[in-house]
Amino acid sequence: MTAPLEGPVIVGISAHFHDSACAVMVGGRLIAAAHEERFTRRKQDPDIPREAFRHCLREAGLTIADVDCVAYYEDPAKKLDRQLWTALPDVPETGPHALFRFDADRPRREIREVLGFDGPVEIVEHHLSHAASAYYYSGFEDSAVLTVDAVGEWATTTWGRGTGADLDLLDEVEFPHSLGLLYSTITGHLGFEVNEGEYKVMGLAPYGVPRYADRVRELIDVTDDGKFSLDLSYFDFRNPACMGSERLTELLGLPARVPESEIEQAHCDLARSIQTVTEETLLALAHRARRLVPSDNLCMAGGVALNVVAVRRIVEEGPFRDVFVQPAAGDAGGSLGAAAVAHRRLTGQRPSSERMRTALLGGAVPPSDVARKLRAAGTDGFLDFTDREPELLAAVAERLAAGKVIGWLHGRMEFGPRALGGRSILADPRGADTRDRINASVKMREGFRPFAPAVLAERAAEHFRLDHESPFMLETCEVVSPLDLPAITHVDRSARVQTVTEEANGRFYRLIKAFDERTGCPILLNTSFNLRGEPIVWTPEDALLCFLRSAIDCLVLEDFVIDREALPEVWRTWFENTRPSRGSAVSDTVYTLL
């Protein structure tokens, strides 16, 4: 696509902790955004987003000469101050990255030397980037703003006010007092990876009862005015892999679970307990936001805002009429916020006041490129539906109704952690064994993990207790469908719903419509197109490799359908016997061929 060059061209960057990303804003309009991991295939790649930067400029029809400003999502000098104060021993003693965590000049230097930009650089504090990523994309003319994560420079939680073009942070909680770090500490105690496994704790929680909740409440003191502090005697934040002290284990009466070991009922109960306390605390923070800012609207960002169960409680029980959560609420979304703040500083104007309606912000792969690559690789068994979309959708809907699991790549790539119909794995939500089968042989992950439904927006209320749009899968709700939907209904009868419209989702909407016409079910199971521990796929090559390494039955690449039985025999033999990873000789063969 080509962006109209009216107004400043600003590139937002988040990097150097985890999940680096880039966003391009032109004249106050968000044009493109992408995660670096999608290109490098390194999960949560923290490095300066060189490939995402190039991709976003191409997607916007720009070159580096067009860029007026690069905005960086946190203040590296203030972050260094906090790191030195805490003396966190998380810096490698040797190697090229040994001193990077204590290098305040690294962002500016790499923007110059790696990205090749020698113009102005705006530094935007971490939680202001989070706040801006929510408020400036909410469409609200006024709003309370709440940001909650592990830690930025010093702040871990902030309350703010957005009014027109103005966004101000009013109050904060500072490190080491952090709701995000509390949740991550229990995540580590449960044997899951910190900064990666928190959503597993959330998925595990409904299998338990909150019998540890009173003990968890001893870790955090929430005051009547909605602020909080941790009892630091239970924590050791100098060890980011295991942040609880011996006293924490004594309090819980439950030893830390060994990673990958059996999950017992006590682990489920602890997960439910930390989830319960987190929800209570976030509700208290939301009520404080309303007292500070008497608006009917709330904007939320920061990694803790991706706790979809807590968000639902704020929507249902909180004091606000309307709640907007940035779809990329974690650090990657800081690139959007930094760009928006820089636009405000440079122009004195608010960025576009339109509500963010889509997270499909990456590039698309032209169908002609897909066809050329498939033919070059000798994959002759694909079905070509070029210029025949109704027939394509009928063929895919037929496979879904027959119980097939579909890998789906179409249009622009998603920004944020959710697959929203651009790079998705799809299935019939009515299958009794579908969830277990996809978890075990497709996603290759823990069996307790739930899957999300994508539903035609106009039919959502028939099947879910939901009275408003939910285009980004950012909250849960109760399943009330007359249909039996075991594949997307969690053990507590909840689901993390995506409402789908033709305007926002195009072909994906029409696919669900075709499935509904065939089956009477306007819902599909929709999960991200990746295997455990890997980023969501970006290219047809990534998608084909994921297809070959898993038990996906059928791959849809734009206008082309590949059934597993139509693959070249030598490919099926290789992959059925080896299940190789990216970087192996077999997988490199696929990338070379394509």
Side-chain angles (χ1 to χ4, degrees):
M1 62 180 292
T2 300
L5 296 180
E6 300 176 2
V9 175
I10 298 171
V11 174
I13 297 289
S14 61
H16 299 148
F17 180 53
H18 65 101
D19 202 11
S20 70
C22 176
V24 172
M25 177 173 280
V26 179
R29 280 203 308 121
L30 180 62
I31 301 298
H35 301 254
E36 183 70 0
E37 66 167 16
R38 308 292 165 86
F39 306 95
T40 65
R41 310 309 300 160
R42 292 174 56 207
K43 183 72 171 177
Q44 293 190 330
D45 192 335
D47 291 342
I48 197 81
R50 179 204 319 245
E51 298 301 325
F53 176 72
R54 293 171 176 171
H55 172 85
C56 288
L57 288 180
R58 285 195 303 269
E59 181 66 12
L62 303 168
T63 70
I64 196 168
D66 298 310
V67 177
D68 295 298
C69 173
V70 169
Y72 188 71
Y73 84 126
E74 65 184 6
D75 187 324
K78 291 183 178 179
K79 181 176 180 178
L80 174 61
D81 183 41
R82 189 256 303 164
Q83 289 175 318
L84 293 175
W85 180 83
T86 54
L88 291 176
D90 59 356
V91 183
E93 294 182 0
T94 60
H97 301 292
L99 298 178
F100 276 169
R101 288 184 185 248
F102 292 108
D103 182 358
D105 189 51
R106 184 187 180 192
R108 287 186 176 88
R109 185 176 64 251
E110 292 193 354
I111 288 169
R112 293 193 307 271
E113 296 177 0
V114 179
L115 302 186
F117 179 73
D118 59 2
V121 175
E122 285 286 327
I123 299 298
V124 182
E125 290 194 0
H126 187 96
H127 275 263
L128 180 57
S129 293
H130 275 320
S133 77
Y135 174 63
Y136 285 130
Y137 297 89
S138 68
F140 297 145
E141 281 301 313
D142 64 85
S143 181
V145 183
L146 175 63
T147 70
V148 191
D149 67 3
V151 62
E153 295 89 0
W154 282 96
T156 69
T157 297
T158 68
W159 292 268
R161 174 194 293 114
T163 306
D166 297 328
L167 173 62
D168 300 296
L169 300 186
L170 307 175
D171 199 4
E172 65 182 31
V173 174
E174 288 192 346
F175 179 87
H177 304 287
S178 167
L179 183 59
L181 287 177
L182 169 61
Y183 203 96
S184 291
T185 298
I186 301 300
T187 296
H189 197 83
L190 286 168
F192 301 119
E193 184 180 352
V194 171
N195 284 328
E196 171 65 19
E198 284 79 2
Y199 56 90
K200 297 181 183 181
V201 175
M202 185 171 55
L204 186 62
Y207 291 91
V209 295
R211 64 185 174 103
Y212 294 98
D214 285 342
R215 300 179 206 184
V216 173
R217 290 187 187 101
E218 292 188 36
L219 304 175
I220 183 169
D221 176 38
V222 184
T223 63
D224 291 340
D225 71 347
K227 297 192 78 170
F228 67 89
S229 61
L230 301 182
D231 184 335
L232 299 176
S233 66
Y234 292 105
F235 301 91
D236 182 6
F237 294 138
R238 294 171 300 174
N239 181 3
C242 182
M243 296 182 289
S245 69
E246 292 183 5
R247 192 164 182 241
L248 175 65
T249 300
E250 294 172 2
L251 171 70
L252 296 176
L254 179 68
R257 171 178 166 264
V258 175
E260 304 300 328
S261 65
E262 182 180 354
I263 295 175
E264 301 175 357
Q265 186 59 47
H267 302 129
C268 300
D269 294 344
L270 180 56
R272 179 65 175 273
S273 300
I274 183 60
Q275 179 63 33
T276 296
V277 173
T278 298
E279 293 168 21
E280 295 169 351
T281 305
L282 277 174
L283 273 169
L285 304 186
H287 279 284
R288 185 166 197 271
R290 181 58 185 262
R291 290 193 295 272
L292 289 171
V293 182
S295 171
D296 289 331
N297 305 315
L298 175 66
C299 294
M300 294 180 64
V304 179
L306 289 172
N307 190 307
V308 294
V309 181
V311 169
R312 182 60 182 177
R313 287 196 63 184
I314 290 173
V315 169
E316 291 186 337
E317 304 173 37
F320 296 96
R321 182 186 61 209
D322 199 353
V323 177
F324 177 82
V325 180
Q326 166 54 237
D331 280 4
S335 61
L336 276 61
V341 171
H343 177 88
R344 174 72 173 92
R345 290 176 180 174
L346 267 61
T347 68
Q349 303 297 314
R350 177 178 178 160
S352 173
S353 59
E354 295 180 0
R355 193 180 186 108
M356 185 174 177
R357 296 291 180 184
T358 182
L360 300 172
L361 296 168
V365 180
S368 58
D369 286 1
V370 177
R372 177 175 51 79
K373 290 180 178 182
L374 289 175
R375 292 189 178 99
T379 311
D380 297 325
F382 64 83
L383 303 175
D384 184 350
F385 290 93
T386 300
D387 298 326
R388 296 186 294 143
E389 184 186 82
E391 294 176 49
L392 167 70
L393 299 181
V396 178
E398 178 182 9
R399 287 162 172 76
L400 286 164
K404 302 291 187 181
V405 177
I406 307 293
W408 173 268
L409 183 153
H410 172 68
R412 299 186 73 178
M413 176 174 55
E414 297 92 341
F415 185 68
R418 314 297 187 206
L420 300 170
R423 306 292 186 276
S424 291
I425 293 173
L426 307 173
D428 186 340
R430 302 169 301 165
D433 66 341
T434 300
R435 189 180 81 164
D436 290 343
R437 181 160 58 97
I438 295 177
N439 269 329
S441 59
V442 176
K443 299 286 281 187
M444 302 176 189
R445 66 184 196 180
E446 300 89 348
F448 65 83
R449 302 272 297 279
F451 290 109
V455 58
L456 299 178
E458 66 271 21
R459 304 282 301 281
E462 300 172 27
H463 302 275
F464 304 98
R465 196 173 300 282
L466 187 69
D467 61 1
H468 55 273
E469 64 179 3
S470 179
F472 304 123
M473 294 186 181
L474 292 172
E475 60 184 279
T476 60
C477 63
E478 182 184 359
V479 179
V480 296
S481 177
L483 303 175
D484 188 19
L485 304 169
I488 56 86
T489 304
H490 205 18
V491 65
D492 60 353
R493 293 207 54 78
S494 70
R496 175 168 47 88
V497 176
Q498 176 194 5
T499 54
V500 180
T501 67
E502 186 162 21
E503 180 182 9
N505 304 99
R507 181 178 286 185
F508 184 49
Y509 172 91
R510 294 188 290 275
L511 173 64
I512 303 175
K513 190 86 168 176
F515 182 75
D516 178 37
E517 291 169 354
R518 176 176 290 272
T519 65
C521 176
I523 305 162
L524 286 177
L525 179 155
N526 178 19
T527 189
S528 57
F529 197 164
N530 66 299
L531 302 184
R532 181 182 183 185
E534 297 184 358
I536 297 174
V537 303
W538 150 227
T539 65
E541 296 93 328
D542 299 332
L544 184 57
L545 182 57
C546 186
F547 175 45
L548 291 165
R549 292 169 57 216
S550 70
I552 293 172
D553 298 303
C554 174
L555 178 62
V556 181
L557 300 176
E558 293 295 347
D559 297 333
F560 307 95
V561 174
I562 308 172
D563 292 304
R564 179 165 294 277
E565 55 269 23
L567 287 170
E569 180 64 29
V570 65
W571 285 28
R572 285 189 282 125
T573 301
W574 276 346
F575 282 84
E576 287 170 4
N577 291 336
T578 63
R579 293 282 193 265
S581 62
R582 173 79 185 268
S584 68
V586 176
S587 68
D588 285 346
T589 299
V590 173
Y591 278 86
T592 300
L593 287 171
L594 291 176

